[in-house]
Amino acid sequence: MIGRLQGILLEKSAPELLLDVNGVGYEIQAPISTFAVLGRIGDPVILYTHLAIREDAHQLYGFSDKSQRTLFRTLIKVSGVGPKLALAILSGMDVNAFASCVHAEDVTALTKLPGVGKKTAERLIVEMRDRLKEWQSAGPLWDAVDQQEQASADSMLQDAESALVALGYKPTEAAKMLNKVAGQADSSEDLIRLALRNSLGNA
């Protein structure tokens, strides 16, 4: 199972994007909520992924954080809800808003989502209610720590990329240099040193 990918964003045209991971291009489908936080073409990207295997295709779905992926995986277990509809739900409503609708049994709000009729909304409420309770009893409904760590990592990469560009590297070149050493440092300064050392070592 492919659970996480880190690479360079090559193309994005909702709901599909293309991610370069060490020279391999991964075609990924993602909700609009994930597209909203993606950077520019050429920027480093980290996605939490779900691999769906069918007889006729292997499809990757990508999400900006674990909470989106958790909800997606739970939604596709609901009768009548496939990956396409699950993506539409995540595109039209964030995870906390969806949880609130389920707890409040707000059929009207759910039917405003694309592809969700009254019967589907009622089925979502019935089948998701207990699962949401289980997540809440285990702690915070969504992993805020993961989101904070992601934001910190993204900020560190941006700072390091800006510094490399200031040193004369092109943005796409700087992004590729950093992608090779991302996750190996605890500060932007260390990340820059590693990127430069790796680049000089391969020169």
Side-chain angles (χ1 to χ4, degrees):
M1 180 67 72
I2 301 173
R4 181 178 178 273
L5 287 175
Q6 179 174 317
I8 301 297
L9 183 62
L10 295 182
E11 299 175 8
K12 58 176 181 177
S13 180
E16 297 181 352
L17 60 88
L18 183 64
L19 193 67
D20 177 9
V21 181
N22 296 323
V24 179
Y26 287 86
E27 294 180 343
I28 302 168
Q29 291 196 23
I32 299 301
S33 50
T34 289
F35 274 85
V37 298
L38 289 177
R40 300 162 297 176
I41 299 299
D43 281 354
V45 172
I46 296 175
L47 293 174
Y48 294 95
T49 57
H50 173 83
L51 177 61
I53 300 177
R54 305 197 315 261
E55 291 184 2
D56 58 341
H58 289 192
Q59 178 62 57
L60 265 177
Y61 298 91
F63 310 92
S64 59
D65 58 63
K66 289 182 179 179
S67 65
Q68 289 186 344
R69 185 179 64 179
T70 298
L71 181 55
F72 175 85
R73 286 176 168 174
T74 308
L75 283 169
I76 59 177
K77 294 177 182 178
V78 174
S79 176
V81 178
K84 184 177 180 179
L85 182 54
L87 281 186
I89 291 171
L90 282 164
S91 294
M93 187 177 287
D94 67 41
V95 289
N96 288 315
F98 178 83
S100 295
C101 287
V102 170
H103 288 311
E105 300 185 7
D106 192 344
V107 173
T108 302
L110 291 175
T111 55
K112 292 179 181 178
L113 294 168
V116 178
K118 184 178 179 181
K119 289 184 178 179
T120 300
E122 291 172 345
R123 187 161 57 247
L124 283 169
I125 289 171
V126 171
E127 296 195 29
M128 292 293 293
R129 189 188 298 123
D130 290 339
R131 290 169 181 159
L132 289 175
K133 285 180 179 178
E134 290 174 5
W135 295 343
Q136 284 182 308
S137 64
L141 182 56
W142 308 116
D143 196 345
V145 173
D146 281 335
Q147 294 179 13
Q148 290 173 359
E149 289 178 350
Q150 178 67 44
S152 177
D154 288 345
S155 177
M156 188 169 68
L157 281 172
Q158 289 173 4
D159 290 344
E161 183 180 342
S162 296
L164 289 173
V165 170
L167 290 172
Y169 291 95
K170 294 179 180 179
T172 52
E173 187 178 9
K176 288 180 180 178
M177 289 169 62
L178 291 168
N179 181 59
K180 292 179 181 178
V181 297
Q184 300 177 31
D186 296 323
S187 69
S188 56
E189 291 80 8
D190 289 342
L191 199 58
I192 294 165
R193 281 195 289 269
L194 282 172
L196 290 171
R197 188 184 305 160
N198 185 69
S199 178
L200 292 172
N202 293 331

